Short mmCIF file of all heavy atoms in Angstrom, two decimals:
data_model
loop_
_atom_site.label_atom_id
_atom_site.label_comp_id
_atom_site.label_asym_id
_atom_site.label_seq_id
_atom_site.Cartn_x
_atom_site.Cartn_y
_atom_site.Cartn_z
N TRP A 326 -24.41 31.81 -97.67
CA TRP A 326 -23.47 32.69 -96.98
C TRP A 326 -23.94 33.02 -95.57
O TRP A 326 -23.12 33.10 -94.63
CB TRP A 326 -23.27 33.98 -97.78
CG TRP A 326 -22.37 33.82 -98.97
CD1 TRP A 326 -22.68 34.02 -100.28
CD2 TRP A 326 -21.00 33.41 -98.97
NE1 TRP A 326 -21.60 33.77 -101.09
CE2 TRP A 326 -20.55 33.40 -100.31
CE3 TRP A 326 -20.09 33.06 -97.96
CZ2 TRP A 326 -19.25 33.04 -100.66
CZ3 TRP A 326 -18.80 32.70 -98.30
CH2 TRP A 326 -18.39 32.70 -99.65
N PHE A 353 -10.75 13.90 -76.46
CA PHE A 353 -11.96 14.14 -77.23
C PHE A 353 -13.01 14.70 -76.28
O PHE A 353 -13.28 14.12 -75.22
CB PHE A 353 -12.44 12.83 -77.86
CG PHE A 353 -13.76 12.94 -78.59
CD1 PHE A 353 -13.81 13.42 -79.89
CD2 PHE A 353 -14.94 12.55 -77.97
CE1 PHE A 353 -15.01 13.51 -80.56
CE2 PHE A 353 -16.15 12.64 -78.65
CZ PHE A 353 -16.18 13.12 -79.94
N THR A 384 -22.64 23.31 -99.35
CA THR A 384 -23.06 23.86 -98.06
C THR A 384 -22.33 23.17 -96.92
O THR A 384 -21.92 23.81 -95.94
CB THR A 384 -24.58 23.73 -97.89
OG1 THR A 384 -25.23 24.47 -98.93
CG2 THR A 384 -25.03 24.27 -96.55
N GLY A 393 -13.28 25.73 -89.22
CA GLY A 393 -11.84 25.93 -89.21
C GLY A 393 -11.47 27.40 -89.09
O GLY A 393 -10.54 27.77 -88.36
N PRO A 422 -33.56 0.23 -96.02
CA PRO A 422 -34.45 1.14 -95.28
C PRO A 422 -34.39 0.91 -93.77
O PRO A 422 -34.41 1.88 -92.99
CB PRO A 422 -35.83 0.80 -95.85
CG PRO A 422 -35.54 0.35 -97.26
CD PRO A 422 -34.25 -0.41 -97.16
N ASN A 469 -12.57 -11.29 -88.71
CA ASN A 469 -11.30 -11.39 -88.00
C ASN A 469 -10.26 -10.48 -88.63
O ASN A 469 -10.07 -10.51 -89.86
CB ASN A 469 -10.77 -12.82 -88.01
CG ASN A 469 -11.44 -13.70 -86.98
OD1 ASN A 469 -11.16 -13.59 -85.78
ND2 ASN A 469 -12.34 -14.57 -87.42
N PHE A 508 -21.27 -5.77 -80.35
CA PHE A 508 -21.24 -7.08 -80.99
C PHE A 508 -20.10 -7.93 -80.39
O PHE A 508 -19.00 -7.41 -80.16
CB PHE A 508 -21.03 -6.95 -82.50
CG PHE A 508 -22.22 -6.45 -83.27
CD1 PHE A 508 -22.15 -6.23 -84.63
CD2 PHE A 508 -23.45 -6.23 -82.64
CE1 PHE A 508 -23.25 -5.79 -85.35
CE2 PHE A 508 -24.55 -5.78 -83.35
CZ PHE A 508 -24.45 -5.56 -84.70
N SER A 512 -13.70 -4.90 -80.29
CA SER A 512 -13.07 -4.09 -79.25
C SER A 512 -12.17 -3.05 -79.91
O SER A 512 -11.87 -3.13 -81.11
CB SER A 512 -12.26 -4.96 -78.29
OG SER A 512 -11.19 -5.61 -78.95
N SER A 528 -7.48 4.98 -82.54
CA SER A 528 -6.92 3.72 -82.02
C SER A 528 -7.12 2.60 -83.03
O SER A 528 -7.64 2.82 -84.14
CB SER A 528 -7.60 3.34 -80.70
OG SER A 528 -8.92 2.85 -80.93
N ARG A 586 3.35 43.54 -83.52
CA ARG A 586 4.72 43.22 -83.12
C ARG A 586 5.68 44.24 -83.71
O ARG A 586 5.75 44.43 -84.94
CB ARG A 586 5.08 41.82 -83.61
CG ARG A 586 6.53 41.40 -83.39
CD ARG A 586 6.84 41.20 -81.93
NE ARG A 586 8.13 40.54 -81.76
CZ ARG A 586 8.76 40.41 -80.60
NH1 ARG A 586 8.20 40.93 -79.49
NH2 ARG A 586 9.91 39.78 -80.53
N GLN A 610 -4.17 29.76 -99.69
CA GLN A 610 -5.54 29.54 -99.22
C GLN A 610 -6.55 29.63 -100.35
O GLN A 610 -7.47 28.81 -100.44
CB GLN A 610 -5.89 30.56 -98.12
CG GLN A 610 -7.14 30.21 -97.35
CD GLN A 610 -8.32 31.12 -97.67
OE1 GLN A 610 -8.18 32.08 -98.44
NE2 GLN A 610 -9.46 30.84 -97.07
N ALA A 612 -5.99 29.13 -103.61
CA ALA A 612 -5.81 27.98 -104.51
C ALA A 612 -6.44 26.73 -103.91
O ALA A 612 -7.14 25.97 -104.59
CB ALA A 612 -4.33 27.75 -104.78
N ALA A 621 -16.46 19.70 -104.70
CA ALA A 621 -17.81 19.77 -104.12
C ALA A 621 -18.86 20.10 -105.18
O ALA A 621 -19.94 19.50 -105.22
CB ALA A 621 -17.85 20.81 -103.00
N SER A 626 -23.26 18.39 -108.75
CA SER A 626 -23.76 18.37 -110.12
C SER A 626 -24.00 16.96 -110.64
O SER A 626 -24.50 16.80 -111.76
CB SER A 626 -22.78 19.10 -111.05
OG SER A 626 -22.60 20.44 -110.64
N ILE A 663 5.21 28.19 -79.02
CA ILE A 663 4.68 27.85 -77.70
C ILE A 663 3.16 27.87 -77.73
O ILE A 663 2.53 28.40 -78.65
CB ILE A 663 5.20 28.83 -76.62
CG1 ILE A 663 4.77 30.27 -76.95
CG2 ILE A 663 6.71 28.74 -76.48
CD1 ILE A 663 5.17 31.28 -75.88
N ALA A 675 -1.65 20.53 -89.39
CA ALA A 675 -1.53 20.56 -90.85
C ALA A 675 -0.80 19.34 -91.40
O ALA A 675 -1.07 18.90 -92.52
CB ALA A 675 -0.81 21.83 -91.30
N THR A 684 -1.67 9.56 -99.01
CA THR A 684 -0.47 10.40 -98.86
C THR A 684 -0.27 11.30 -100.07
O THR A 684 -0.81 11.08 -101.15
CB THR A 684 0.78 9.52 -98.69
OG1 THR A 684 0.98 8.76 -99.89
CG2 THR A 684 0.63 8.58 -97.50
#
Side-chain angles (χ1 to χ4, degrees):
W326 283 118
F353 175 82
T384 299
N469 279 286
F508 287 177
S512 63
S528 74
R586 174 69 168 169
Q610 194 251 357
S626 301
I663 60 176
T684 64

